[in-house]
């Protein structure tokens, strides 16, 4: 059994796009190409990358939503895809495009999740309210339909839903994208507090450099499906300065541009028409 919370070994994933008359031709695009890294137990590890770099594809592989075409991954010593069901019991996932029953209230959405996982409804409701309070959620809105809530409020519901099962590993796929500054700060403070209290392992994808430096001990940079650099923020700045011959690189964004040759953008969606 691996001593790492996450181990990724030569993981590759290809998407196919049908083109031509009646979809007679197929174009292949590698979303991930021989990706290797590990995350220590209790560590916060960040993945940085621009649009189409493979960040969200990798999160989907680790959360059992996609099967890699090559390579393998382990979560808490459990191999994917062989032990998918066991892996789902130890992870919580927050996505930038989290799905809800928007006609239902925050309470109804969270209690549905509690029932799916066999949690006691009364205990789950108390826990939900406590988490939402820490995230700065207005308790008066707990019974409101999600369709009447802001993007930031909905994202706080998504984070609460992921934490209801008290997972030892959190997969956070751009959890603060689109949030206002106060909501973003509330989420970051909560994540920091969670790690202090429970030693939760976190894998975070983000394009926010300040968020990455604040929350993550080590960072990996993805470009065109490949991991092009890895290290602490300071290590990446030093490597970037040496590679480009600059006297110094003071920001993580400049380091990313030097090492990956690309700028960061806001989304990581697969191009339209691609299928796994």
């Amino acid at each position: 059994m691996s001593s790492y919370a996450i181990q990724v070994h030569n993981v590759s994933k290809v998407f196919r796009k049908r083109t031509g008359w009646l979809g007679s031709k197929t174009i292949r695009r590698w979303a991930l190409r021989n990706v290797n890294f590990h995350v220590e137990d209790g560590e916060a590890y960040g993945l940085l990358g621009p649009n189409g770099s493979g960040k969200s594809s990798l999160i989907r592989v680790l959360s059992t939503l996609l099967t890699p075409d090559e390579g393998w991954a382990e979560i808490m010593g459990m191999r994917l895809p062989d032990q998918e069901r066991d892996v789902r019991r130890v992870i919580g996932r927050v996505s930038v495009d989290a799905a809800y029953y928007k006609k239902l209230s925050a309470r109804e959405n969270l209690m549905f999740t509690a029932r799916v996982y066999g949690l006691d409804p009364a205990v789950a409701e108390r826990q939900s309210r406590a988490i939402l309070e820490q995230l700065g959620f207005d308790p008066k809105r707990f019974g409101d339909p999600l369709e009447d809530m802001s993007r930031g409020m909905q994202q706080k519901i998504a984070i609460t839903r992921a934490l209801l099962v008290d997972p030892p590993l959190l997969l956070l796929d751009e959890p603060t994208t689109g949030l206002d500054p106060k909501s973003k700060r509330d989420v970051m403070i909560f994540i920091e507090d969670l790690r202090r209290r429970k030693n939760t392992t976190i894998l975070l994808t983000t394009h926010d450099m300040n968020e990455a430096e604040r929350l993550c001990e080590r960072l990996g940079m993805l470009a065109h499906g490949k991991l092009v650099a890895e290290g602490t923020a300071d290590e990446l700045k030093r490597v970037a300065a040496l590679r480009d011959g600059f006297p110094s690189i003071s920001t993580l964004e400049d380091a990313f541009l030097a090492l990956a040759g690309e700028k960061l953008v806001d989304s990581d969606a697969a191009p339209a028409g691609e299928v796994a």
Side-chain angles (χ1 to χ4, degrees):
M1 180 176 290
S2 171
S3 61
Y4 300 128
I6 300 173
Q7 188 169 9
V8 175
H9 180 74
N10 288 336
V11 164
S12 297
K13 180 65 186 178
V14 66
F15 290 99
R16 298 170 180 84
K17 181 179 180 179
R18 297 183 182 91
T19 63
W21 180 252
L22 297 178
S24 58
K25 296 181 180 179
T26 301
I27 298 174
R28 290 159 55 93
R29 182 183 71 84
W30 289 93
L32 298 168
R33 205 69 187 262
N34 298 322
V35 175
N36 291 274
F37 71 95
H38 70 268
V39 181
E40 301 279 355
D41 186 42
E43 182 181 19
Y45 185 99
L47 285 171
L48 309 176
N51 181 43
S53 64
K55 303 188 310 294
S56 291
S57 294
L58 184 53
I59 289 287
R60 292 184 185 115
V61 167
L62 297 176
S63 58
T64 77
L65 298 176
L66 287 177
T67 300
D69 294 297
E70 297 175 6
W72 53 265
E74 280 188 356
I75 302 292
M76 303 293 185
M78 295 174 283
R79 184 69 64 97
L80 291 174
D82 300 338
Q83 296 175 279
E84 286 183 350
R85 187 166 297 182
D86 295 324
V87 166
R88 290 172 190 148
R89 295 191 180 101
V90 300
I91 63 172
R93 176 176 176 262
V94 179
S95 172
V96 66
D97 57 354
Y100 315 93
Y101 294 103
K102 292 197 174 183
K103 296 290 184 183
L104 301 182
S105 69
R107 180 185 181 280
E108 288 168 329
N109 272 274
L110 293 168
M111 292 307 99
F112 175 79
T113 299
R115 290 188 179 94
V116 168
Y117 281 92
L119 305 177
D120 179 272
V123 173
E125 180 161 355
R126 287 196 300 271
Q127 185 177 352
S128 296
R129 289 180 178 274
I131 294 170
L132 287 169
E133 183 179 353
Q134 287 180 277
L135 289 171
F137 185 92
D138 183 353
K140 296 178 182 178
R141 303 295 303 274
F142 196 52
D144 291 357
L146 260 68
E147 65 182 1
D148 295 340
M149 295 184 184
S150 68
R151 169 78 177 82
M153 295 176 73
Q154 290 181 6
Q155 195 68 351
K156 290 175 182 181
I157 298 298
I159 293 170
T160 303
R161 181 173 60 184
L163 291 170
L164 269 181
V165 294
D166 198 20
L169 170 61
L170 273 179
L171 304 175
L172 304 178
D173 189 10
E174 298 189 11
T176 64
T177 295
L179 301 191
D180 61 82
K182 181 182 182 305
S183 293
K184 182 175 288 192
R185 184 188 62 189
D186 290 341
V187 169
M188 287 194 291
I189 291 173
F190 180 83
I191 291 171
E192 290 171 327
D193 181 63
L194 181 69
R195 291 194 62 222
R196 281 194 296 267
R197 289 186 291 108
K198 298 195 173 183
N199 198 41
T200 303
T201 303
I202 291 173
L203 178 62
L204 169 74
T205 76
T206 184
H207 56 265
D208 186 315
M209 299 294 99
N210 291 329
E211 181 177 276
E213 288 199 75
R214 176 171 173 171
L215 296 178
C216 301
E217 293 149 301
R218 288 190 303 132
L219 301 163
M221 294 182 170
L222 280 170
H224 304 293
K226 297 180 180 180
L227 192 71
V228 297
E230 186 182 39
T232 66
D234 287 341
E235 287 170 347
L236 291 169
K237 292 172 190 175
R238 286 197 296 270
V239 170
L242 290 172
R243 180 175 297 185
D244 273 27
F246 296 139
S248 66
I249 285 184
S250 60
T251 70
L252 192 56
E253 186 170 6
D254 287 342
F256 185 90
L257 184 60
L259 294 171
E262 297 185 75
K263 292 183 178 180
L264 293 168
V265 294
D266 282 356
S267 78
D268 193 13
E274 293 191 355
V275 294

